[in-house]
Amino acid sequence: MPLSEDEQRILSEIESHLYESDPELAREVAETTVYTHAFRNIKWAALGLLAGVVLMVWLLSTSFLLSFGGFLVMLLSLLFLERNARRAGKAGLGQMTESMRGGRLRHVVGGAGARMRDRYDRDNRDGD
């Protein structure tokens, strides 16, 4: 059911008052989605998974039991990642990949790929 004109006007007044009184909060509310918390947890779980793999491989030459501890860190991180991926759901994961495509990841990876293609094209032209 759509809002009436009076309700839309009241909502607009509340929004403008929020931007005037606390612009930082208004910016944070505008950028935050339902899936933000799950995404943050997925990032931490991926970091924990990577740390667990590194610990497991690094400590394998020292002690089997310490290496098993790294495996447990890896396993717990993977379970935490799976739990938060389920929480985010298909729509949330789609939103996350879209934000990664248009965001910082494209500048990091896409810029390197473009530089490599330019270098390859330049080398092929110079060689001919």
Side-chain angles (χ1 to χ4, degrees), residues 14-28:
I14 291 171
E15 183 180 2
S16 64
H17 180 67
L18 177 63
Y19 277 109
E20 290 172 8
S21 65
D22 196 354
E24 180 67 26
L25 176 65
R27 182 191 58 78
E28 187 175 328

Side-chain angles (χ1 to χ4, degrees), residues 66-101:
L66 291 176
S67 180
F68 184 71
F71 172 76
L72 290 178
V73 168
M74 186 177 68
L75 182 65
L76 291 174
S77 296
L78 188 61
L79 291 173
F80 190 63
L81 190 143
E82 186 271 337
R83 179 178 172 206
N84 283 287
R86 283 185 186 263
R87 248 187 220 160
K90 188 175 182 179
L93 292 176
Q95 182 183 12
M96 181 176 71
T97 56
E98 284 298 319
S99 68
M100 287 173 61
R101 285 183 193 149

Side-chain angles (χ1 to χ4, degrees), residues 1-40:
M1 182 163 129
L3 296 176
S4 68
E5 289 180 23
D6 190 42
E7 291 170 333
Q8 288 179 353
R9 181 186 53 79
I10 292 171
L11 188 60
S12 178
E13 289 175 4
I14 291 171
E15 183 180 2
S16 64
H17 180 67
L18 177 63
Y19 277 109
E20 290 172 8
S21 65
D22 196 354
E24 180 67 26
L25 176 65
R27 182 191 58 78
E28 187 175 328
V29 168
E31 292 176 357
T32 302
T33 65
V34 177
Y35 310 111
T36 305
H37 184 69
F39 294 156
R40 189 177 311 119

